[in-house]
Amino acid sequence: VQLQASGGGLVQAGGSLRLSCVASGRTFSINNLGWFRQAPGKEREFVTAINNIGGRPYYADSVKDRFTISRDNAKNTVYLQMISLKPEDTAVYYCAAFDFRTPYGSGFNQDNVNYWGQGTQVTVSS
């Protein structure tokens, strides 16, 4: 499986951005697709994921009500719409895929990620 992320950029605080991640290859092995982020000097953290079959989203508390994950199965693409961005959202955002062994919700940590995409930089200026 290959994951191609795009859509990062520079935005002012309060602004919005939409990230995209296109999956290719053995996509039938993916059960959940999501996003992690890593800010400078910090550990990579889970942001959100969505189930490929039921479309159930799951969010980290820090982004709830501001970030929305969605998917287009026909295009093997997952989107991350981010609004009301804050400087603390500045990070490299990574697309991630989990297979069917990962329990929904509690299993969404980087140790269970089966495939990583390349990062896309999101910078929020104050």
Side-chain angles (χ1 to χ4, degrees):
V1 172
Q2 294 79 44
L3 303 174
Q4 182 70 41
S6 61
L10 172 64
V11 65
Q12 287 189 332
S16 61
L17 276 176
R18 189 176 84 153
L19 307 182
S20 300
C21 175
V22 180
S24 60
R26 298 168 63 88
T27 57
F28 58 83
S29 66
I30 299 172
N31 190 31
N32 294 281
L33 273 171
W35 296 89
F36 286 71
R37 67 185 180 184
Q38 187 165 19
K42 294 190 176 180
E43 291 190 359
R44 194 171 296 190
E45 64 174 357
F46 170 79
V47 176
T48 180
I50 189 166
N51 182 260
N52 274 7
I53 299 174
R56 247 189 328 166
Y58 188 87
Y59 298 97
D61 287 342
S62 59
V63 304
K64 243 177 234 184
D65 300 325
R66 298 188 300 120
F67 290 10
T68 302
I69 190 170
S70 60
R71 82 209 194 286
D72 183 336
N73 284 352
K75 296 181 179 179
N76 285 324
T77 301
V78 64
Y79 303 98
L80 179 61
Q81 179 68 51
M82 306 181 291
I83 66 171
S84 302
L85 282 162
K86 306 174 182 180
E88 50 264 44
D89 294 318
T90 294
V92 178
Y93 284 70
Y94 296 91
C95 185
F98 302 89
D99 67 20
F100 290 84
R101 294 170 294 180
T102 298
Y104 178 87
S106 62
F108 292 154
N109 57 70
Q110 57 180 322
D111 292 336
N112 287 334
V113 172
N114 298 100
Y115 305 100
W116 290 101
Q118 93 290 1
T120 184
Q121 177 72 47
V122 171
T123 303
V124 184
S125 63
S126 55

